[in-house]
Amino acid sequence: MNAITKDRSDTLAPFGTRLDGVTDPVRKAAIGALHRSGLPDRRVEEWRYTSLRFLTETPLAAPAEVYDAGQVQAQLENLGLSTGPLAELPRLVFVNGRYAEPFSVLPAEVDVSFFAKTQTFGALSAPDRDPLTALNAALASDGAQLHVPAGKNGGDVLLVSLGQTDTPVSFHPRHSVTLDEGAQLTLISIQAGQGRYLHNPVLEISVAAEANLKHVTLQTEGQDAACLATTYAQVAERGTYDSFVLGLGAALSRQEIHARLAAPFATVHVNGAQMLGGKQIGDVTSVITHAAPDCISRQTVRNVLDGHARGVFQGKVFVDRVAQKTDGYQMNQALLLSENAEIDAKPELEIYADDVKCSHGATVGALDDDQLFYLRSRGVPDAEARQILIHAFMDEALGLIEDETARTLCTQMLARSFPVAGESA
């Protein structure tokens, strides 16, 4: 990401003295980059549609190291993680960015360590170019580090992040996932919480040759929270990274994914959907780099926007000179339910190879009057007819989630958040 060259350290005021007195060289370098660039504003091209005023209005303290266990249990129950099939899955629970061992169950086929103990930063992120990543590097205190050995199937693993605060805070988990050759894993990330906070996670993913990672993120943060998540993924020969993000919560959210197809026949899917209302702002930004020949990337993102909600889609596919026979596809579709709702879409192709198949597009529209008339003519009330069409639009997007457990979880949470008229939540 581009940075503004003059000193803009004044934008870091909400974090007070939390950036002072750091001696670790990685953290010091990140803080130096932050002081040079500041937090991005709308003069930075990649942030022109998304304002971070939310972060500058209130000081953001470090969260307390203790948490309310009863409240955590209630949050897990509200997410449907305490009973049924999801309750049986291995899980790593973080509260305000710190590992909550009493609520976690370690997976059997996955090696797990924690950033709080290792203090290991990966090599994929770019704190010198990405200010939110630099902020994470400066303030990260914990995070999950998952490693699946060669040929192993890690199954389904839940990575649950809960915000819990009565005063404005920020927390910055530092996660990583490494799959060795031929390994498999389905990672279901759940982001939720209560109160006013900034959740600023960074996730680094390395997928080795012929390995397969399915990664589904359900973002249902508190309505007074901000979630600014950045993922870096690198995929080796014949490896697959299949990502899906469902955005439902937060006053301000941004899911930013940098995926690099580093060797021939690698595959990346970066799909997602958002359903927002009120004054919510939801941003999906991606940079998919084809750095090797014969690779495939797919991206489909759908938005349903009501009230004064605003959705943002920025998707860039970069094709290097060596990346011949690239197959890339990108589509953003938006359904606007209100005259005041807004979508800002910027699909982009940057191609330097001459033997490629790449396409992109964007569509924006309202509910189809003919379809509404059809349902109403058969006795379906207007409000219910509208909800049926909205859910049908979203169901097509959720159909891109290959893992049945993750798809069921997302479908249930969508139905609870936005029930069809006449149905119970």
Side-chain angles (χ1 to χ4, degrees):
M1 298 290 177
N2 296 328
I4 297 173
T5 55
K6 69 176 182 179
D7 188 303
R8 299 188 64 249
S9 57
D10 58 311
T11 64
L12 305 177
F15 302 97
T17 60
R18 296 171 66 187
L19 301 174
D20 298 339
V22 174
T23 58
D24 178 85
V26 175
R27 295 182 188 268
K28 284 185 68 176
I31 292 171
L34 269 176
H35 280 292
R36 290 190 296 273
S37 69
L39 294 179
D41 58 26
R42 298 180 73 170
R43 292 175 293 175
V44 178
E45 176 63 25
E46 291 81 2
W47 290 85
R48 65 181 298 187
Y49 303 116
T50 302
S51 170
L52 294 183
R53 288 182 59 190
F54 180 96
L55 305 185
T56 62
E57 294 172 349
T58 308
L60 296 169
E65 295 189 15
V66 297
Y67 56 83
D68 185 329
Q71 188 176 344
V72 172
Q73 185 61 46
Q75 288 176 300
L76 294 175
E77 290 175 359
N78 186 57
L79 291 166
L81 303 182
S82 296
T83 59
L86 290 172
E88 306 300 321
L89 294 180
R91 70 180 65 182
L92 301 169
V93 178
F94 288 77
V95 180
N96 293 341
R98 295 183 181 275
Y99 180 55
E101 183 176 4
F103 297 94
S104 302
V105 180
L106 296 180
E109 300 293 337
V110 181
D111 299 329
V112 180
S113 57
F114 297 94
F115 179 83
K117 295 182 178 179
T118 68
Q119 297 291 305
T120 301
F121 293 90
L124 298 181
S125 63
D128 57 327
R129 292 185 289 109
D130 300 340
L132 270 299
T133 299
L135 183 64
N136 175 281
L139 297 177
S141 59
D142 206 353
Q145 298 176 324
L146 309 181
H147 170 230
V148 185
K152 294 288 187 179
N153 186 345
D156 289 359
V157 176
L158 298 175
L159 178 60
V160 184
S161 178
L162 302 176
Q164 182 189 105
T165 180
D166 295 323
T167 59
V169 300
S170 72
F171 45 95
H172 310 260
R174 190 81 181 196
H175 305 301
S176 67
V177 177
T178 302
L179 271 61
D180 290 345
E181 184 173 355
Q184 299 180 54
L185 178 68
T186 296
L187 180 67
I188 304 174
S189 300
I190 301 175
Q191 302 164 344
Q194 299 170 347
R196 186 176 181 85
Y197 58 85
L198 164 63
H199 179 203
N200 176 38
V202 168
L203 169 62
E204 296 193 35
I205 294 170
S206 295
V207 180
E210 299 185 352
N212 187 323
L213 174 61
K214 296 182 177 68
H215 180 208
V216 177
T217 300
L218 171 60
Q219 187 276 108
T220 178
E221 303 273 17
Q223 293 300 309
D224 200 25
C227 179
L228 306 175
T230 309
T231 299
Y232 299 87
Q234 181 161 286
V235 186
E237 185 170 358
R238 300 186 188 278
T240 299
Y241 174 56
D242 186 350
S243 168
F244 189 96
V245 176
L246 175 62
L248 302 175
L252 169 65
S253 65
R254 179 173 168 116
Q255 299 284 341
E256 181 173 330
I257 298 178
H258 299 257
R260 181 179 178 86
L261 298 104
F265 303 103
T267 300
V268 164
H269 297 162
V270 182
N271 300 313
Q274 297 186 109
M275 195 161 183
L276 308 174
K279 295 183 178 180
Q280 287 179 285
I281 299 173
D283 182 332
V284 176
T285 292
S286 66
V287 179
I288 302 174
T289 300
H290 286 256
D294 296 292
C295 293
I296 298 173
S297 67
R298 296 284 184 269
Q299 183 169 30
T300 298
V301 176
R302 290 194 169 191
N303 303 273
V304 176
L305 306 170
D306 202 355
H308 288 79
R310 184 153 59 87
V312 177
F313 171 77
Q314 298 182 106
K316 180 175 183 177
V317 176
F318 178 91
V319 182
D320 205 325
R321 295 182 187 277
V322 301
Q324 304 295 337
K325 299 189 183 302
T326 284
D327 183 354
Y329 172 81
Q330 191 176 69
M331 173 60 72
N332 176 233
Q333 297 170 300
L335 184 61
L336 303 184
L337 305 179
S338 163
E339 293 183 355
N340 297 311
E342 177 184 334
I343 179 70
D344 296 301
K346 191 180 75 170
E348 183 179 0
L349 299 176
E350 186 172 343
I351 301 172
Y352 294 95
D354 54 16
D355 182 10
V356 303
K357 183 174 68 173
C358 292
S359 62
H360 64 183
T363 65
V364 181
L367 291 174
D368 188 289
D369 289 336
D370 291 338
Q371 292 177 340
L372 281 172
F373 176 79
Y374 176 85
L375 291 172
R376 293 173 63 186
S377 67
R378 279 152 180 78
V380 180
D382 181 71
E384 185 175 348
R386 290 177 178 275
Q387 290 297 316
I388 288 173
L389 294 180
I390 292 168
H391 279 262
F393 180 82
M394 291 292 284
D395 285 345
E396 288 189 30
L398 298 183
L400 298 172
I401 303 174
E402 292 188 3
D403 182 79
E404 183 177 352
T405 300
R407 185 172 61 252
T408 299
L409 173 63
C410 289
T411 300
Q412 290 176 346
M413 189 57 64
L414 177 65
R416 288 176 57 190
S417 301
F418 301 92
V420 174
E423 294 183 358
S424 60

